[in-house]
Amino acid sequence: SEFEKMLFRRGFVPELSFGAFDDDRLVSFTLNGIGEYSARKTAYDTGTGTIESYRGSGLATKILEESLAHLRKAGIEQYLLEVLQNNTKAISIYEKAGFSKTRELYYFIKPIHEVIFNSNPLPPGFVMKEMQLQPDEMSAMWDFQPSWQNTFAAVLKKVTDFTTLGIYHDTRLVGYGVIENSTGDIPQIAVMKSFRRRGIGSFILQELMQHNQAGVVRIINTDAQHDSMDKFFESLQITKSGAQFEMVLDLKTMSKQDSGNAD
């Protein structure tokens, strides 16, 4: 299922995920992914939820506390999550637990038939090919670091679910895009700075749509501080759908504080 695919891509680890049960019924949960992020061993909240009738009873906070204790014991260095900016209750819970907002992220979701492509061919001397991921060359084109589910590590978990298209000028890679075929999700799209404003990004996006089986284009988590990506999508009528905060808790600092308190 798409839900299972999502969990797999985000590195879900059942042994470090937690739930609250009423008898045998799961009523609240946090599903954690584990991996490397910013060169640190990281846990990522891949999904959190509470059944409506159990909300307001403090379960989310209790599960978070349980989660943090086990993650610290497991040697995890930081806990990363994303939260919708209008979810003020959740933001309040995370801030009380010591999380800090690290950046603002935008997301875009649009039916393909509403996207306006310029349908111009590539300029002379440019060619498009399907390719494999080349992290060093590709990351040199980025304006910002991809969020957790958009990293190379996430895509490589099941690379056969994705199509990667590269634009070459002579033999040099100057732009690329990656799409998850079944969902229409685009974890990465970038063009080398010196080759921008030539229609290359628009051409890549248009060609990625040939592999899109969902009928919807999704770009989740562009960095709000770098508006080149947002302007590019808006020029194609892909308007912003909403905004999230990325938040991080340093578990190493916390464990030092805890051990200090115990003395």
Side-chain angles (χ1 to χ4, degrees):
S1 73
E2 293 307 334
F3 182 65
E4 287 170 319
K5 266 189 188 178
M6 179 272 286
L7 288 178
F8 186 71
R9 177 170 154 190
R10 296 182 184 188
F12 170 57
V13 173
E15 298 79 10
L16 286 171
S17 298
F18 304 90
F21 295 82
D22 190 348
D23 291 329
D24 289 334
R25 185 185 183 210
L26 179 66
V27 296
S28 186
F29 65 87
T30 291
L31 308 177
N32 290 322
I34 305 293
E36 291 273 325
Y37 193 74
S38 302
R40 301 189 81 198
K41 195 164 186 190
T42 304
Y44 172 78
D45 180 351
T46 73
T48 294
T50 302
I51 289 175
E52 200 166 345
S53 55
Y54 288 81
R55 287 175 196 165
S57 56
L59 283 177
T61 302
K62 283 180 189 150
I63 290 174
L64 180 61
E65 286 166 358
E66 190 77 12
S67 204
L68 295 177
H70 280 83
L71 292 169
R72 279 200 299 276
K73 276 185 201 157
I76 306 297
E77 296 175 78
Q78 62 180 358
Y79 195 21
L80 171 75
L81 57 84
E82 290 139 24
V83 58
L84 291 169
Q85 288 187 13
N86 59 11
N87 191 350
T88 49
K89 273 189 186 169
I91 291 167
S92 168
I93 288 170
Y94 296 136
E95 287 182 330
K96 279 179 187 155
F99 282 81
S100 304
K101 292 172 185 162
T102 44
R103 56 181 174 166
E104 191 178 359
L105 302 167
Y106 295 150
Y107 62 93
F108 304 76
I109 301 168
K110 192 85 168 177
I112 292 174
H113 68 266
E114 292 179 20
V115 180
I116 311 295
F117 293 108
N118 66 22
S119 68
N120 291 331
L122 278 174
F126 292 84
V127 64
M128 189 188 77
K129 298 179 202 167
E130 202 163 315
M131 62 177 296
Q132 294 183 323
L133 294 178
Q134 295 173 2
D136 289 344
E137 288 182 60
M138 291 170 163
S139 59
M141 301 181 203
W142 293 347
D143 288 344
F144 59 87
Q145 291 289 325
S147 66
W148 177 272
Q149 71 265 42
N150 296 334
T151 58
F152 291 122
V155 173
L156 286 166
K157 280 189 167 58
K158 196 160 184 210
V159 78
T160 52
D161 285 350
F162 297 83
T163 297
T164 303
L165 302 177
I167 301 285
Y168 293 83
H169 184 251
D170 298 325
T171 56
R172 185 185 185 193
L173 181 70
V174 298
Y176 77 97
V178 184
I179 188 168
E180 187 176 40
N181 302 345
S182 65
T183 63
D185 183 61
I186 295 172
Q188 295 185 21
I189 184 167
V191 175
M192 199 178 283
K193 274 189 180 148
S194 55
F195 287 87
R196 291 179 190 173
R197 302 192 181 283
R198 303 197 202 180
I200 291 169
S202 180
F203 187 86
I204 293 168
L205 194 64
Q206 186 174 322
E207 293 302 309
L208 287 175
M209 291 308 105
Q210 307 302 315
H211 301 271
N212 186 338
Q213 297 158 10
V216 173
V217 58
R218 298 170 202 273
I219 303 105
I220 310 298
N221 294 342
T222 67
D223 190 319
Q225 274 197 307
H226 300 273
D227 63 356
S228 56
M229 193 75 93
D230 310 327
K231 285 177 177 165
F232 165 61
F233 292 130
E234 282 168 7
S235 73
L236 302 170
Q237 305 297 310
I238 306 172
T239 45
K240 192 167 73 208
S241 303
Q244 305 197 94
F245 289 120
E246 181 183 76
M247 300 183 78
V248 171
L249 176 65
D250 189 324
L251 294 173
K252 282 195 138 181
T253 306
M254 255 187 106
S255 55
K256 278 177 198 158
Q257 285 169 350
D258 291 350
S259 57
N261 293 341
D263 290 341

